mmCIF file of all heavy atoms in Angstrom:
data_model
loop_
_atom_site.group_PDB
_atom_site.id
_atom_site.type_symbol
_atom_site.label_atom_id
_atom_site.label_comp_id
_atom_site.label_asym_id
_atom_site.label_seq_id
_atom_site.Cartn_x
_atom_site.Cartn_y
_atom_site.Cartn_z
ATOM 1 N N PHE A 8 0.827 -1.204 0.000
ATOM 2 C CA PHE A 8 0.000 0.000 0.000
ATOM 3 C C PHE A 8 0.867 1.262 0.000
ATOM 4 O O PHE A 8 0.693 2.167 -0.824
ATOM 5 C CB PHE A 8 -0.915 -0.038 1.226
ATOM 6 C CG PHE A 8 -1.684 1.229 1.476
ATOM 7 C CD1 PHE A 8 -2.805 1.544 0.733
ATOM 8 C CD2 PHE A 8 -1.268 2.111 2.464
ATOM 9 C CE1 PHE A 8 -3.509 2.718 0.969
ATOM 10 C CE2 PHE A 8 -1.966 3.281 2.712
ATOM 11 C CZ PHE A 8 -3.087 3.587 1.952
ATOM 12 N N ILE A 9 1.844 1.314 0.907
ATOM 13 C CA ILE A 9 2.685 2.506 1.034
ATOM 14 C C ILE A 9 3.542 2.691 -0.212
ATOM 15 O O ILE A 9 3.689 3.814 -0.721
ATOM 16 C CB ILE A 9 3.562 2.407 2.298
ATOM 17 C CG1 ILE A 9 2.676 2.409 3.555
ATOM 18 C CG2 ILE A 9 4.565 3.563 2.357
ATOM 19 C CD1 ILE A 9 3.431 2.141 4.837
ATOM 20 N N SER A 10 4.095 1.604 -0.741
ATOM 21 C CA SER A 10 4.977 1.724 -1.907
ATOM 22 C C SER A 10 4.209 2.054 -3.179
ATOM 23 O O SER A 10 4.818 2.424 -4.187
ATOM 24 C CB SER A 10 5.766 0.424 -2.109
ATOM 25 O OG SER A 10 4.890 -0.662 -2.323
ATOM 26 N N SER A 11 2.865 1.958 -3.151
ATOM 27 C CA SER A 11 2.045 2.223 -4.344
ATOM 28 C C SER A 11 1.327 3.554 -4.298
ATOM 29 O O SER A 11 0.601 3.898 -5.237
ATOM 30 C CB SER A 11 1.005 1.097 -4.520
ATOM 31 O OG SER A 11 1.623 -0.149 -4.672
ATOM 32 N N LEU A 12 1.522 4.335 -3.214
ATOM 33 C CA LEU A 12 0.765 5.574 -3.070
ATOM 34 C C LEU A 12 1.023 6.557 -4.208
ATOM 35 O O LEU A 12 0.123 7.304 -4.605
ATOM 36 C CB LEU A 12 1.095 6.237 -1.725
ATOM 37 C CG LEU A 12 0.485 5.560 -0.488
ATOM 38 C CD1 LEU A 12 0.971 6.240 0.785
ATOM 39 C CD2 LEU A 12 -1.028 5.602 -0.567
ATOM 40 N N ALA A 13 2.238 6.567 -4.731
ATOM 41 C CA ALA A 13 2.560 7.502 -5.807
ATOM 42 C C ALA A 13 2.532 6.845 -7.183
ATOM 43 O O ALA A 13 2.929 7.452 -8.170
ATOM 44 C CB ALA A 13 3.941 8.109 -5.570
ATOM 45 N N ASP A 14 2.079 5.613 -7.218
ATOM 46 C CA ASP A 14 2.043 4.859 -8.481
ATOM 47 C C ASP A 14 0.681 5.051 -9.137
ATOM 48 O O ASP A 14 -0.328 4.519 -8.679
ATOM 49 C CB ASP A 14 2.291 3.374 -8.188
ATOM 50 C CG ASP A 14 2.456 2.547 -9.458
ATOM 51 O OD1 ASP A 14 2.188 3.083 -10.554
ATOM 52 O OD2 ASP A 14 2.836 1.368 -9.345
ATOM 53 N N ASP A 15 0.639 5.828 -10.230
ATOM 54 C CA ASP A 15 -0.631 6.116 -10.899
ATOM 55 C C ASP A 15 -0.967 5.114 -12.001
ATOM 56 O O ASP A 15 -1.918 5.324 -12.750
ATOM 57 C CB ASP A 15 -0.596 7.526 -11.506
ATOM 58 C CG ASP A 15 -0.650 8.598 -10.429
ATOM 59 O OD1 ASP A 15 -1.264 8.337 -9.378
ATOM 60 O OD2 ASP A 15 -0.071 9.685 -10.646
ATOM 61 N N THR A 16 -0.198 4.065 -12.102
ATOM 62 C CA THR A 16 -0.521 3.042 -13.099
ATOM 63 C C THR A 16 -1.737 2.248 -12.632
ATOM 64 O O THR A 16 -2.062 2.232 -11.436
ATOM 65 C CB THR A 16 0.657 2.080 -13.302
ATOM 66 O OG1 THR A 16 0.878 1.354 -12.084
ATOM 67 C CG2 THR A 16 1.910 2.840 -13.701
ATOM 68 N N PRO A 17 -2.434 1.565 -13.549
ATOM 69 C CA PRO A 17 -3.572 0.725 -13.128
ATOM 70 C C PRO A 17 -3.166 -0.311 -12.089
ATOM 71 O O PRO A 17 -3.935 -0.602 -11.165
ATOM 72 C CB PRO A 17 -4.019 0.063 -14.434
ATOM 73 C CG PRO A 17 -3.587 1.011 -15.513
ATOM 74 C CD PRO A 17 -2.301 1.601 -15.029
ATOM 75 N N GLU A 18 -1.929 -0.847 -12.208
ATOM 76 C CA GLU A 18 -1.474 -1.846 -11.235
ATOM 77 C C GLU A 18 -1.313 -1.218 -9.856
ATOM 78 O O GLU A 18 -1.723 -1.804 -8.838
ATOM 79 C CB GLU A 18 -0.143 -2.460 -11.698
ATOM 80 C CG GLU A 18 -0.232 -3.278 -12.967
ATOM 81 C CD GLU A 18 -0.117 -2.440 -14.228
ATOM 82 O OE1 GLU A 18 -0.088 -1.185 -14.109
ATOM 83 O OE2 GLU A 18 -0.066 -3.017 -15.325
ATOM 84 N N GLY A 19 -0.713 -0.007 -9.828
ATOM 85 C CA GLY A 19 -0.529 0.660 -8.545
ATOM 86 C C GLY A 19 -1.839 1.039 -7.891
ATOM 87 O O GLY A 19 -2.027 0.849 -6.685
ATOM 88 N N LYS A 20 -2.756 1.599 -8.683
ATOM 89 C CA LYS A 20 -4.060 1.983 -8.138
ATOM 90 C C LYS A 20 -4.823 0.770 -7.617
ATOM 91 O O LYS A 20 -5.483 0.831 -6.583
ATOM 92 C CB LYS A 20 -4.877 2.697 -9.207
ATOM 93 C CG LYS A 20 -4.333 4.074 -9.576
ATOM 94 C CD LYS A 20 -5.167 4.719 -10.676
ATOM 95 C CE LYS A 20 -4.646 6.097 -11.026
ATOM 96 N NZ LYS A 20 -5.415 6.718 -12.133
ATOM 97 N N SER A 21 -4.742 -0.349 -8.342
ATOM 98 C CA SER A 21 -5.477 -1.539 -7.898
ATOM 99 C C SER A 21 -4.868 -2.110 -6.623
ATOM 100 O O SER A 21 -5.586 -2.682 -5.791
ATOM 101 C CB SER A 21 -5.474 -2.595 -9.010
ATOM 102 O OG SER A 21 -4.180 -3.142 -9.209
ATOM 103 N N THR A 22 -3.542 -1.943 -6.450
ATOM 104 C CA THR A 22 -2.901 -2.405 -5.209
ATOM 105 C C THR A 22 -3.404 -1.602 -4.021
ATOM 106 O O THR A 22 -3.731 -2.160 -2.959
ATOM 107 C CB THR A 22 -1.371 -2.274 -5.331
ATOM 108 O OG1 THR A 22 -0.913 -3.091 -6.412
ATOM 109 C CG2 THR A 22 -0.681 -2.713 -4.044
ATOM 110 N N VAL A 23 -3.476 -0.286 -4.196
ATOM 111 C CA VAL A 23 -4.004 0.574 -3.127
ATOM 112 C C VAL A 23 -5.451 0.214 -2.828
ATOM 113 O O VAL A 23 -5.852 0.085 -1.662
ATOM 114 C CB VAL A 23 -3.873 2.061 -3.533
ATOM 115 C CG1 VAL A 23 -4.609 2.953 -2.529
ATOM 116 C CG2 VAL A 23 -2.416 2.459 -3.630
ATOM 117 N N ASP A 24 -6.257 0.041 -3.865
ATOM 118 C CA ASP A 24 -7.674 -0.281 -3.672
ATOM 119 C C ASP A 24 -7.840 -1.604 -2.934
ATOM 120 O O ASP A 24 -8.690 -1.722 -2.031
ATOM 121 C CB ASP A 24 -8.381 -0.363 -5.031
ATOM 122 C CG ASP A 24 -8.518 0.993 -5.694
ATOM 123 O OD1 ASP A 24 -8.394 2.002 -4.987
ATOM 124 O OD2 ASP A 24 -8.749 1.038 -6.920
ATOM 125 N N LEU A 25 -7.049 -2.612 -3.313
ATOM 126 C CA LEU A 25 -7.167 -3.913 -2.654
ATOM 127 C C LEU A 25 -6.782 -3.816 -1.183
ATOM 128 O O LEU A 25 -7.454 -4.391 -0.312
ATOM 129 C CB LEU A 25 -6.293 -4.944 -3.379
ATOM 130 C CG LEU A 25 -6.318 -6.363 -2.792
ATOM 131 C CD1 LEU A 25 -7.720 -6.956 -2.890
ATOM 132 C CD2 LEU A 25 -5.303 -7.266 -3.511
ATOM 133 N N ALA A 26 -5.709 -3.063 -0.886
ATOM 134 C CA ALA A 26 -5.283 -2.916 0.512
ATOM 135 C C ALA A 26 -6.333 -2.180 1.337
ATOM 136 O O ALA A 26 -6.590 -2.529 2.496
ATOM 137 C CB ALA A 26 -3.952 -2.168 0.560
ATOM 138 N N VAL A 27 -6.951 -1.172 0.739
ATOM 139 C CA VAL A 27 -8.000 -0.431 1.451
ATOM 140 C C VAL A 27 -9.196 -1.327 1.711
ATOM 141 O O VAL A 27 -9.778 -1.325 2.814
ATOM 142 C CB VAL A 27 -8.410 0.820 0.642
ATOM 143 C CG1 VAL A 27 -9.655 1.463 1.234
ATOM 144 C CG2 VAL A 27 -7.262 1.828 0.593
ATOM 145 N N ARG A 28 -9.577 -2.119 0.711
ATOM 146 C CA ARG A 28 -10.737 -3.008 0.889
ATOM 147 C C ARG A 28 -10.460 -4.090 1.929
ATOM 148 O O ARG A 28 -11.336 -4.412 2.733
ATOM 149 C CB ARG A 28 -11.100 -3.680 -0.449
ATOM 150 C CG ARG A 28 -11.691 -2.754 -1.480
ATOM 151 C CD ARG A 28 -12.445 -3.546 -2.562
ATOM 152 N NE ARG A 28 -11.679 -4.669 -3.070
ATOM 153 C CZ ARG A 28 -10.830 -4.606 -4.103
ATOM 154 N NH1 ARG A 28 -10.627 -3.442 -4.706
ATOM 155 N NH2 ARG A 28 -10.188 -5.675 -4.512
ATOM 156 N N ARG A 29 -9.256 -4.642 1.907
ATOM 157 C CA ARG A 29 -8.958 -5.763 2.797
ATOM 158 C C ARG A 29 -8.670 -5.323 4.231
ATOM 159 O O ARG A 29 -9.077 -5.991 5.195
ATOM 160 C CB ARG A 29 -7.754 -6.544 2.256
ATOM 161 C CG ARG A 29 -8.005 -7.271 0.940
ATOM 162 C CD ARG A 29 -8.979 -8.443 1.133
ATOM 163 N NE ARG A 29 -8.496 -9.383 2.108
ATOM 164 C CZ ARG A 29 -7.641 -10.379 1.851
ATOM 165 N NH1 ARG A 29 -7.203 -10.541 0.613
ATOM 166 N NH2 ARG A 29 -7.259 -11.213 2.801
ATOM 167 N N PHE A 30 -7.939 -4.208 4.389
ATOM 168 C CA PHE A 30 -7.471 -3.854 5.732
ATOM 169 C C PHE A 30 -7.827 -2.437 6.159
ATOM 170 O O PHE A 30 -7.461 -2.013 7.265
ATOM 171 C CB PHE A 30 -5.946 -4.054 5.814
ATOM 172 C CG PHE A 30 -5.522 -5.477 5.589
ATOM 173 C CD1 PHE A 30 -5.010 -5.884 4.363
ATOM 174 C CD2 PHE A 30 -5.667 -6.428 6.593
ATOM 175 C CE1 PHE A 30 -4.625 -7.196 4.144
ATOM 176 C CE2 PHE A 30 -5.284 -7.750 6.390
ATOM 177 C CZ PHE A 30 -4.764 -8.140 5.159
ATOM 178 N N GLY A 31 -8.515 -1.685 5.308
ATOM 179 C CA GLY A 31 -8.993 -0.372 5.703
ATOM 180 C C GLY A 31 -7.923 0.671 5.903
ATOM 181 O O GLY A 31 -8.100 1.600 6.706
ATOM 182 N N PHE A 32 -6.785 0.551 5.193
ATOM 183 C CA PHE A 32 -5.735 1.562 5.325
ATOM 184 C C PHE A 32 -6.235 2.915 4.825
ATOM 185 O O PHE A 32 -6.990 2.993 3.864
ATOM 186 C CB PHE A 32 -4.487 1.160 4.522
ATOM 187 C CG PHE A 32 -3.824 -0.096 5.030
ATOM 188 C CD1 PHE A 32 -3.478 -1.120 4.155
ATOM 189 C CD2 PHE A 32 -3.562 -0.267 6.379
ATOM 190 C CE1 PHE A 32 -2.874 -2.267 4.612
ATOM 191 C CE2 PHE A 32 -2.954 -1.420 6.844
ATOM 192 C CZ PHE A 32 -2.612 -2.424 5.962
ATOM 193 N N ALA A 33 -5.763 3.992 5.484
ATOM 194 C CA ALA A 33 -6.133 5.345 5.076
ATOM 195 C C ALA A 33 -4.943 5.980 4.370
ATOM 196 O O ALA A 33 -3.804 5.895 4.838
ATOM 197 C CB ALA A 33 -6.538 6.174 6.287
ATOM 198 N N GLU A 34 -5.221 6.641 3.242
ATOM 199 C CA GLU A 34 -4.139 7.174 2.414
ATOM 200 C C GLU A 34 -3.572 8.487 2.952
ATOM 201 O O GLU A 34 -2.387 8.753 2.847
ATOM 202 C CB GLU A 34 -4.658 7.385 0.986
ATOM 203 C CG GLU A 34 -3.604 7.822 0.012
ATOM 204 C CD GLU A 34 -4.136 7.890 -1.412
ATOM 205 O OE1 GLU A 34 -5.178 7.256 -1.676
ATOM 206 O OE2 GLU A 34 -3.525 8.586 -2.233
ATOM 207 N N GLY A 35 -4.400 9.308 3.571
ATOM 208 C CA GLY A 35 -4.006 10.681 3.895
ATOM 209 C C GLY A 35 -2.809 10.796 4.810
ATOM 210 O O GLY A 35 -1.924 11.624 4.594
ATOM 211 N N ASN A 36 -2.744 9.965 5.859
ATOM 212 C CA ASN A 36 -1.697 10.138 6.862
ATOM 213 C C ASN A 36 -0.379 9.469 6.481
ATOM 214 O O ASN A 36 0.504 9.353 7.293
ATOM 215 C CB ASN A 36 -2.179 9.592 8.212
ATOM 216 C CG ASN A 36 -2.518 8.107 8.135
ATOM 217 O OD1 ASN A 36 -2.384 7.497 7.091
ATOM 218 N ND2 ASN A 36 -2.974 7.552 9.265
ATOM 219 N N ARG A 37 -0.254 9.023 5.238
ATOM 220 C CA ARG A 37 0.964 8.335 4.843
ATOM 221 C C ARG A 37 1.877 9.198 3.991
ATOM 222 O O ARG A 37 2.961 8.797 3.645
ATOM 223 C CB ARG A 37 0.597 7.070 4.048
ATOM 224 C CG ARG A 37 -0.227 6.055 4.831
ATOM 225 C CD ARG A 37 0.600 5.319 5.841
ATOM 226 N NE ARG A 37 -0.167 4.319 6.565
ATOM 227 C CZ ARG A 37 0.368 3.519 7.484
ATOM 228 N NH1 ARG A 37 1.641 3.629 7.786
ATOM 229 N NH2 ARG A 37 -0.378 2.629 8.108
ATOM 230 N N ARG A 38 1.427 10.383 3.591
ATOM 231 C CA ARG A 38 2.180 11.160 2.609
ATOM 232 C C ARG A 38 3.124 12.198 3.224
ATOM 233 O O ARG A 38 4.029 12.673 2.549
ATOM 234 C CB ARG A 38 1.202 11.878 1.664
ATOM 235 C CG ARG A 38 0.472 10.930 0.737
ATOM 236 C CD ARG A 38 -0.349 11.696 -0.273
ATOM 237 N NE ARG A 38 -0.996 10.813 -1.232
ATOM 238 C CZ ARG A 38 -0.446 10.418 -2.370
ATOM 239 N NH1 ARG A 38 0.771 10.817 -2.679
ATOM 240 N NH2 ARG A 38 -1.091 9.617 -3.189
ATOM 241 N N GLY A 39 2.911 12.553 4.470
ATOM 242 C CA GLY A 39 3.699 13.631 5.058
ATOM 243 C C GLY A 39 5.193 13.337 5.088
ATOM 244 O O GLY A 39 5.636 12.362 5.691
ATOM 245 N N GLY A 40 6.002 14.203 4.469
ATOM 246 C CA GLY A 40 7.456 14.064 4.491
ATOM 247 C C GLY A 40 8.000 12.905 3.698
ATOM 248 O O GLY A 40 9.197 12.590 3.811
ATOM 249 N N ALA A 41 7.197 12.233 2.926
ATOM 250 C CA ALA A 41 7.652 11.056 2.183
ATOM 251 C C ALA A 41 8.366 11.479 0.908
ATOM 252 O O ALA A 41 8.056 12.498 0.302
ATOM 253 C CB ALA A 41 6.467 10.165 1.849
ATOM 254 N N ARG A 42 9.372 10.656 0.508
ATOM 255 C CA ARG A 42 10.055 10.859 -0.768
ATOM 256 C C ARG A 42 9.731 9.671 -1.665
ATOM 257 O O ARG A 42 10.033 8.525 -1.326
ATOM 258 C CB ARG A 42 11.566 10.953 -0.568
ATOM 259 C CG ARG A 42 12.333 11.262 -1.866
ATOM 260 C CD ARG A 42 13.832 11.338 -1.602
ATOM 261 N NE ARG A 42 14.386 10.028 -1.304
ATOM 262 C CZ ARG A 42 14.807 9.156 -2.242
ATOM 263 N NH1 ARG A 42 14.714 9.470 -3.526
ATOM 264 N NH2 ARG A 42 15.310 7.999 -1.873
ATOM 265 N N PHE A 43 9.061 9.953 -2.772
ATOM 266 C CA PHE A 43 8.627 8.878 -3.648
ATOM 267 C C PHE A 43 9.714 8.526 -4.653
ATOM 268 O O PHE A 43 10.355 9.411 -5.247
ATOM 269 C CB PHE A 43 7.349 9.277 -4.384
ATOM 270 C CG PHE A 43 6.193 9.518 -3.453
ATOM 271 C CD1 PHE A 43 5.737 10.802 -3.192
ATOM 272 C CD2 PHE A 43 5.574 8.461 -2.809
ATOM 273 C CE1 PHE A 43 4.695 11.032 -2.323
ATOM 274 C CE2 PHE A 43 4.527 8.682 -1.945
ATOM 275 C CZ PHE A 43 4.081 9.970 -1.689
ATOM 276 N N VAL A 44 9.906 7.245 -4.854
ATOM 277 C CA VAL A 44 10.902 6.731 -5.796
ATOM 278 C C VAL A 44 10.155 6.216 -7.020
ATOM 279 O O VAL A 44 9.458 5.201 -6.944
ATOM 280 C CB VAL A 44 11.739 5.597 -5.169
ATOM 281 C CG1 VAL A 44 12.767 5.077 -6.178
ATOM 282 C CG2 VAL A 44 12.411 6.080 -3.891
#
């Protein structure tokens, strides 16, 4: 989930969606101060 937050590909978006559906992760509190690779 965390490694896919900046991934706008269909694969990245589907990974985020699956993690949210399965475990209820919230996206907002993960972006502060992060450096995306």
Side-chain angles (χ1 to χ4, degrees):
F8 171 78
I9 295 173
S10 60
S11 300
L12 286 176
D14 188 350
D15 289 330
T16 65
E18 294 85 354
K20 291 178 179 178
S21 69
T22 299
V23 171
D24 290 342
L25 180 63
V27 170
R28 290 199 312 271
R29 293 291 302 276
F30 298 101
F32 296 131
E34 185 175 340
N36 60 1
R37 299 286 182 178
R38 290 187 176 271
R42 184 180 70 86
F43 297 107
V44 180

